[in-house]
Amino acid sequence: MMTIDQLAAEVWLTPRTIRSYHTRGLLQPPNRIGRTPYYDLPHLNRMRTVALLQGRGLSLETICALLDPDGVIGKFILPERTIDQVLRADPSLVRPLIDSGVLLPRPDGAFGVRGARAVLAARVASRPDAPLTEVLHVLAGSVTAIAPLADELLSRVGAELLRLVPGGVSHREELLDLVVEALRVGLQTMATPTP
């Protein structure tokens, strides 16, 4: 655990810059113990990634889009009011979407959608002109169908990491990111015909 001053010193930035990265969506909020914010290894790794990409000439907006594509896509295809309208029109969607993990209830009573890229893929897979209600039904069904395989995937990739990298991945979120991206690449490879 690090304070903001320790994190800033570790990545050669100022605490003010670290705070600005929070507001830009480049860094997750710190963990709080009482009133004191603390940062951990995922925060440090994220800041190192941002610094690396900045050093290669990318703008902060571009870095944000690269590191959080769902957030950027979601702003364009899933404005919050659209989700609220769909859920009001078809309340039967709420429970399956929450159970499948597609819909995330927020403390303020509103809902957010996890995985805007998944919503976009469900739209294309069903039909491009499908109403959002139909798309969300397709996505909830798809997530429910694949959920039993998730533990197996996490276990296998985690075991492979332990075999190849001493200590493996230190945080579950990093393992989840790796599994998602490895699965995406694997499926794209299978779907792409070889010349």
Side-chain angles (χ1 to χ4, degrees):
M1 300 286 264
M2 297 174 271
T3 65
I4 193 166
D5 291 325
Q6 292 167 326
L7 177 64
E10 189 74 33
V11 293
W12 296 80
L13 295 171
T14 66
R16 183 177 179 181
T17 302
I18 301 287
R19 286 186 197 96
S20 77
Y21 285 1
H22 288 293
T23 60
R24 291 174 182 247
L26 287 164
L27 185 64
Q28 293 296 320
N31 305 307
R32 292 200 175 272
I33 299 176
R35 296 179 66 187
T36 307
Y38 288 98
Y39 297 85
D40 54 19
L41 186 58
H43 291 106
L44 179 60
N45 289 340
R46 179 68 167 239
M47 289 310 306
R48 286 178 174 158
T49 301
V50 169
L52 174 74
L53 294 172
Q54 263 190 306
R56 298 216 171 138
L58 297 177
S59 70
L60 291 178
E61 291 77 21
T62 302
I63 294 169
C64 189
L66 287 171
L67 297 179
D68 185 19
D70 280 322
V72 174
I73 291 169
K75 289 177 187 174
F76 294 104
I77 67 167
L78 290 171
E80 286 184 25
R81 65 181 181 281
T82 304
I83 299 299
D84 290 341
Q85 290 169 351
V86 168
L87 296 176
R88 267 189 250 113
D90 188 354
S92 68
L93 265 173
V94 174
R95 182 51 41 205
L97 289 172
I98 289 173
D99 290 346
S100 66
V102 171
L103 196 63
L104 302 170
R106 295 193 190 132
D108 64 0
F111 292 100
V113 174
R114 176 183 289 170
R117 287 178 293 175
V119 175
L120 193 57
R123 179 178 297 276
V124 172
S126 53
R127 46 176 227 272
D129 62 339
L132 187 56
T133 303
E134 182 180 316
V135 170
L136 291 175
H137 276 291
V138 167
L139 181 56
S142 300
V143 170
T144 301
I146 202 169
L149 305 172
D151 282 337
E152 177 69 19
L153 286 169
L154 286 170
S155 295
R156 285 188 182 199
V157 173
E160 185 66 10
L161 274 170
L162 284 174
R163 188 179 74 75
L164 296 172
V165 179
V169 172
S170 58
H171 288 62
R172 185 170 172 83
E173 191 65 32
E174 293 167 341
L175 178 59
L176 289 172
D177 288 346
L178 177 60
V179 169
V180 167
E181 294 309 319
L183 183 60
R184 186 186 324 273
V185 169
L187 290 172
Q188 286 174 338
T189 302
M190 289 173 50
T192 305
T194 55

